[in-house]
Amino acid sequence: ILAIIICMYATCCMSGKGGNRGGEAKTNNSEQINTPQTSSSTIIEGNATSNGIIAIADHPIVNVYLENSGSMNGYVDNGKTLFQQDVYNYLCDIHISEIASEINLHFINSQIINKGSVIEDFINKLTPNSFKTSGGKTTTTDIADVFKQVLNRTDDNTVSIFISDCIFSPGSVTNPQAYLANQQVGIKKCFADHLTQYPNFSVLVYQLYSNFSGTYYDYMNRPRKYNGERPYYIWVMGHTANIAKLRAYIPNEKFSGSGVANMW
């Protein structure tokens, strides 16, 4: 699983458009998971411990982490982009489904920045200036460290949603190839460590496209001005039962805008 995640991650981040644009999403065996049967209070399944079985809450906490590095500026314009509309629609569907006990919104870069819990306010105030002035280091992106921050706050009763263009932006480094290789190892290690503690951990990744107008920096730290469509990714991470519930209540066809291009 880890090898698939890392290979998929490297392929998606370093390539252009993946799959059939606007076509049928790719699937794997994880899509065959049915909606779990639940009791009125808990799903009695989870990680075995010396005390028995951990109870999985019916209504997990959902924490959203929107990466706000400089390369994300081209996706936001006061709610007018497909990116903002799709993310808004997805988060509202989670709220409407009543799966989550609470939804907490954050920016993430070199640190996690709390942005409250009001989805409409969060989406409509997404601008390049709000990204820049919210704090943290937004000029470079250490994706391995971002995943580590998110996974440190993810357990069997917490679902983490990470949203990013997944661009590796190391800044001015002397050997970007070595940096990229170390990032891949770092990502693999943080997922392996998390799986050791939470063996029922699962990852669901959506690839979507949005209109984009702005500048991003490639892995050689070269600025690239672009006006057109660019991909971005929504990573949904947590206990398998919680991921299955979200998939059942929010199937691909409920995504608005350009729809899901690919899914892993």
Side-chain angles (χ1 to χ4, degrees), residues 16 19 31 36 82 84 96 110 127 133 206 243 253:
E31 288 189 72
L82 285 176
Q84 287 173 273
I96 293 167
S110 59
T127 64
T133 59
Y206 297 103
I243 301 301
E253 53 268 24

Side-chain angles (χ1 to χ4, degrees), residues 144-163:
D145 181 66
V146 168
F147 275 119
K148 186 175 181 179
Q149 290 184 75
V150 172
L151 293 178
N152 282 341
R153 294 188 173 203
T154 307
D155 57 30
D156 283 339
N157 292 314
T158 304
V159 173
S160 293
I161 298 175
F162 171 57
I163 305 167

